[in-house]
Structures are given as C-alpha cells and as structure tokens.
Amino acid sequence: MRGDGNSAEQAAETGAPESRVDPEFLALERELTVFLRRARASSGEMARAVHPDLEPSAYGLLVCLDELGRQRATDLAGYIGVGKATMSRQLRALEALGFVAREPDPADGRAWLIHLTERGGHRLRTVRDARRARYVRELSDWDRTEVAELARLLHQLNAAAGAE
C-alpha cells in the first residue's frame, strides 16, 4: 500500500479487500453515501415544493439559472450532466409551468438563451429560503466557524471532483 493517500483508490482498482483501505477513506465513503442519499431525497422534496409535477433534476436546473443567469440549453445540459434530449424535455416542462422562458441569443441567431421567469424565480427563492432556514435550525448548535469550515471543505471536494 502506498502512503500517498490513494490506498482506497488502489483497493478499488485492484479488488483489494476493504480491510486494507485506510479507515479514513472508508468513513468518508460511508458518510458521503448517507449524505448523497439524503440529498437526493431532499432534492425531490424541494422540486415538489416548487411545483408538484417538477422532476428532482429540474430543481438543479432552476438553481443553475438563478445563480448563473441566462444560459444556452447545451451549456445547461453540460453543467447539470444530462443529454440534450433530457434537457429539452425538462425545459419544455419548465416552460409549460411558466418557470423559464427562451429568447434568441444576440451572439448567435440560431441559438436560444434560457432564463428564469419572475414566477419561476419567486417559487425557487421561496423554496431556497425555506431550505436555508432548515440548515440554520439543524446546525443551530454548531459554531459559525464550523459551518464555514464545512462549506469550505465541501467546496474543496466539489472542486477536486470537477477537476477529474
């Protein structure tokens, strides 16, 4: 086993038993699995809070538009990690609900820019505000520096995962 922190990856690649994997990486895997399972469930709840017919993945699309502003559908598909067909279906559903609208891209007359409508932005912000209030309640016994450290470490993890 190498001492460079990659023993979990090595074990996965070589089929080595878990007992040879650093316990820190086993704990990380276990906690991330629980966290991601809860995050998926939470995403579905938040999507339904925006609208009962909204798919969980469409919630992330609304968040992306809220944070990044007008975007091309192909850029959104890449950011969310779905194919063009899935993106088109989700955008049609969001348009039908009045949450997003399309406008011609002034830089390319063949392309369209997608943006949140006032209605979509209002519904999304209402749900996001409630979600943040829930975080405040759930982490009320944490010191603010611990919350900041968690955010910093999650950002670092996301950045490392995005670099792959």
Side-chain angles (χ1 to χ4, degrees), residues 6 8 12 23 30 33 40-41 45 49 56 59 63 68-69 71 86 93 99-102 106 117-118 156:
N6 290 325
R30 181 177 49 254
T33 298
R40 277 190 295 275
E45 291 169 12
Y59 177 83
V63 169
L68 301 177
Q71 299 288 311
T86 299
F99 293 159
V100 301
R102 299 174 195 246
T117 62
E118 187 176 324
Q156 188 175 332

Side-chain angles (χ1 to χ4, degrees):
M1 205 176 328
R2 295 187 318 220
D4 62 2
N6 290 325
S7 58
E9 185 177 308
Q10 268 184 313
E13 290 174 359
T14 62
E18 281 189 0
S19 63
R20 295 184 56 202
V21 177
D22 293 337
E24 298 86 358
F25 287 97
L26 288 173
L28 175 63
E29 177 189 23
R30 181 177 49 254
E31 295 305 324
L32 280 176
T33 298
V34 171
F35 180 77
L36 292 172
R37 186 179 68 240
R38 288 181 177 159
R40 277 190 295 275
S42 178
S43 183
E45 291 169 12
M46 290 180 294
R48 286 186 298 279
V50 172
H51 191 278
D53 296 334
L54 201 62
E55 292 182 28
S57 56
Y59 177 83
L61 180 56
L62 293 174
V63 169
C64 178
L65 287 169
D66 190 43
E67 293 179 353
L68 301 177
R70 290 169 163 71
Q71 299 288 311
R72 289 184 178 190
T74 53
D75 295 335
L76 289 169
Y79 183 83
I80 300 294
V82 298
K84 288 193 302 187
T86 299
M87 181 56 54
S88 294
R89 182 178 47 77
Q90 287 182 351
L91 289 175
R92 278 192 306 274
L94 289 170
E95 279 183 296
L97 293 170
F99 293 159
V100 301
R102 299 174 195 246
E103 63 186 46
D105 183 346
D108 181 352
R110 300 166 296 165
W112 294 87
L113 294 175
I114 312 300
H115 65 91
L116 278 180
T117 62
E118 187 176 324
R119 178 177 187 219
H122 173 73
R123 289 296 309 145
L124 178 65
R125 282 186 289 281
T126 299
V127 172
R128 289 185 88 183
D129 289 348
R131 178 171 135 181
R132 279 189 295 273
R134 182 173 149 196
Y135 292 156
V136 169
R137 281 191 314 275
E138 290 175 352
L139 303 177
S140 64
D141 60 339
W142 287 38
D143 184 272
R144 293 275 176 141
T145 57
E146 291 175 317
V147 175
E149 180 67 0
L150 176 60
R152 186 189 70 76
L153 290 170
L154 286 172
H155 175 77
Q156 188 175 332
L157 178 65
N158 286 329
E164 293 178 350

